[in-house]
Amino acid sequence: MTITPAEFLKLELEMGISADNPSFRELARKTAECITEPYADVFDFGAGTGLYSNAFHELGKAVFAYEIWAEHRAYMFEKFPDLVQVNSVFTTDLLLMIEVAEHLTEQELRYFFSRVTPRLILFSSTPYKNPEFDVQWGHINVRETEEWVFFFKDLGYKVKRMPGLPTPWALLLEKTQNTKQI
């Protein structure tokens, strides 16, 4: 059984994915600072508790946080009232997709990338399968890093580097000149 959005947020906060956790705030800050490539603005798809969005905002970047769950949007508004929350997707220079893709089907991901074509993507999606955990957390598309590299190559992206943040399996992807139609 999948947990509800309210239960998901509660568990995230208990795990320390929280504005009140200095260690997680530091991880978000270091993640934002590890993107040394120039970029103009940021779209955080599946912004969750908003810590990554806020870290990029604190660097002076224009950040647009997109989150489908009302509970998470309310949390972000309470903790980071200056963040710009949006309810539609659009292209920015840098896309954050941090621990979101495992919650989406291949078809949903392809549809998303047919509408959004950022120059850079900071991508992280757990490569570890855990059947009981995956069902509870709504993980329906867990892939190894190499499989994601192939997926993004098919969409016209190449790995620029592996920044090591926010997870060891994170990828910084860059749009290539030769792009396939989705």
Side-chain angles (χ1 to χ4, degrees):
M1 172 186 290
T2 304
I3 59 178
T4 67
E7 292 168 328
F8 196 101
L9 176 61
K10 182 178 184 280
L11 288 170
E12 280 182 310
L13 298 177
E14 288 171 359
M15 291 169 51
I17 305 171
S18 161
D20 300 321
N21 179 350
S23 295
F24 202 86
R25 284 183 81 119
E26 180 70 3
L27 172 64
R29 183 189 65 76
K30 286 181 178 179
T31 299
E33 289 175 348
C34 87
I35 306 300
T36 56
E37 293 74 8
Y39 60 96
D41 47 14
V42 180
F43 186 84
D44 188 358
F45 182 69
T49 58
L51 277 97
Y52 294 109
S53 291
N54 188 63
F56 281 86
H57 173 75
E58 287 180 345
L59 288 180
K61 297 298 181 180
V63 178
F64 305 94
Y66 177 87
E67 175 56 54
I68 62 170
W69 287 344
E71 294 81 357
H72 283 77
R73 291 191 310 267
Y75 181 86
M76 274 192 285
F77 184 76
E78 175 190 336
K79 297 295 184 176
F80 310 114
D82 294 334
L83 280 182
V84 175
Q85 293 190 46
V86 296
N87 59 10
S88 61
V89 299
F90 52 91
T91 297
T92 57
D93 210 21
L94 172 64
L95 169 69
L96 304 182
M97 188 175 257
I98 300 172
E99 301 303 314
V100 173
E102 65 270 22
H103 299 278
L104 301 170
T105 65
E106 169 115 5
Q107 182 178 8
E108 289 168 326
L109 286 166
R110 288 191 178 277
Y111 178 70
F112 174 77
F113 282 105
S114 74
R115 298 172 58 212
V116 175
T117 54
R119 185 176 60 83
L120 296 168
I121 303 169
L122 178 58
F123 179 83
S124 179
S125 182
T126 183
Y128 303 113
K129 292 182 180 180
N130 179 333
E132 184 178 323
F133 180 85
D134 291 338
V135 168
Q136 181 181 15
W137 283 82
H139 291 181
I140 58 173
N141 193 5
V142 178
R143 301 180 189 196
E144 298 211 6
T145 303
E146 295 78 23
E147 295 172 286
W148 286 117
V149 169
F150 181 77
F151 172 82
F152 281 106
K153 181 179 180 187
D154 191 49
L155 296 179
Y157 288 87
K158 66 177 181 180
V159 175
K160 185 166 177 94
R161 62 187 170 90
M162 294 184 74
L165 292 170
T167 63
W169 51 84
L171 302 169
L172 182 64
L173 301 148
E174 181 175 46
K175 191 80 169 152
T176 62
Q177 295 296 346
N178 301 326
T179 60
K180 281 179 116 176
Q181 293 297 322
I182 298 179

